[in-house]
Amino acid sequence: MIQRRGLTIGQISDRTGLAPSAIRFYEEQGLVTPDRTDAGQRRYAGSDIRRLSFVMIAQNLGFSISEIRAQMASLPQERTPTKADWTRIANRFRRVLDQRIRQMQALSDKLDGCIGCGCLSLQTCRLYNPEDRAARLGRGPRYLMGNSASEVE
């Protein structure tokens, strides 16, 4: 049985697959807040297993530590997060992921057309940017990001 705040860092490591150094890093980042014994040893709650697992999943999905921290700040510290708490966070992450998927699909479609055409026409190529005119629209490959050459003329 998992105690409320009695898990050692080794036990948390065994349950999550994270190295103790990674768990300490996540603690430094404010993603988990273990109690300390009189001797200064960390003691984690059973719910920290889920918190750390969520961090691992979110990082694998491309979210930064700061993005994860911002979302996890809404979780209650005084009690174990409920399914409803996690659902709220999942829904916010889902909206971001859906947007990223749409952007990647659009980029993939544009690259397929460009690479597949074979002509590399300097009149129609989305990569061609004479005299770096697209820089006026912002950073990055502006035409691939949705801007058009007519916006800079």
Side-chain angles (χ1 to χ4, degrees):
M1 181 175 168
I2 295 177
Q3 302 169 6
R4 179 143 169 76
R5 284 257 176 215
L7 297 170
T8 66
I9 196 166
Q11 290 169 315
I12 289 287
S13 176
D14 286 344
R15 289 295 308 277
T16 62
L18 288 166
S21 59
I23 296 168
R24 287 189 293 273
F25 171 75
Y26 292 140
E27 178 186 348
E28 289 170 10
Q29 297 301 309
L31 300 173
V32 290
T33 53
D35 289 337
R36 296 285 183 147
T37 66
D38 292 339
Q41 296 174 327
R42 293 168 173 85
R43 291 293 184 258
Y44 294 87
S47 60
D48 288 332
I49 294 169
R50 181 164 289 155
R51 289 175 191 267
L52 291 168
S53 296
F54 175 77
V55 171
M56 291 173 16
I57 292 166
Q59 280 191 295
N60 284 336
L61 291 172
F63 291 96
S64 69
I65 292 291
S66 61
E67 290 171 315
I68 297 166
R69 184 186 319 106
Q71 293 302 322
M72 288 182 70
S74 69
L75 290 175
Q77 295 298 316
E78 70 284 354
R79 65 171 171 80
T80 300
T82 64
K83 182 176 186 207
D85 295 323
W86 288 110
T87 298
R88 277 191 298 279
I89 289 177
N91 287 336
R92 290 191 295 259
F93 271 66
R94 183 174 289 112
R95 285 191 294 273
V96 173
L97 288 172
D98 288 345
Q99 176 62 27
R100 287 180 184 175
I101 289 167
R102 284 190 297 276
Q103 288 172 335
M104 286 190 280
Q105 185 62 53
L107 178 59
S108 175
D109 292 345
K110 290 173 186 172
L111 285 176
D112 285 348
C114 181
I115 293 167
C117 80
C119 73
L120 291 180
S121 165
L122 297 184
Q123 299 303 314
T124 60
C125 180
R126 290 192 157 286
L127 297 176
Y128 184 60
N129 181 17
E131 300 169 15
D132 198 24
R133 286 183 264 177
R136 295 181 215 141
L137 301 171
R139 293 180 172 175
R142 301 311 312 173
Y143 299 148
L144 287 174
M145 294 169 67
N147 293 111
S148 69
S150 64
E151 293 178 74
V152 294
E153 293 175 355

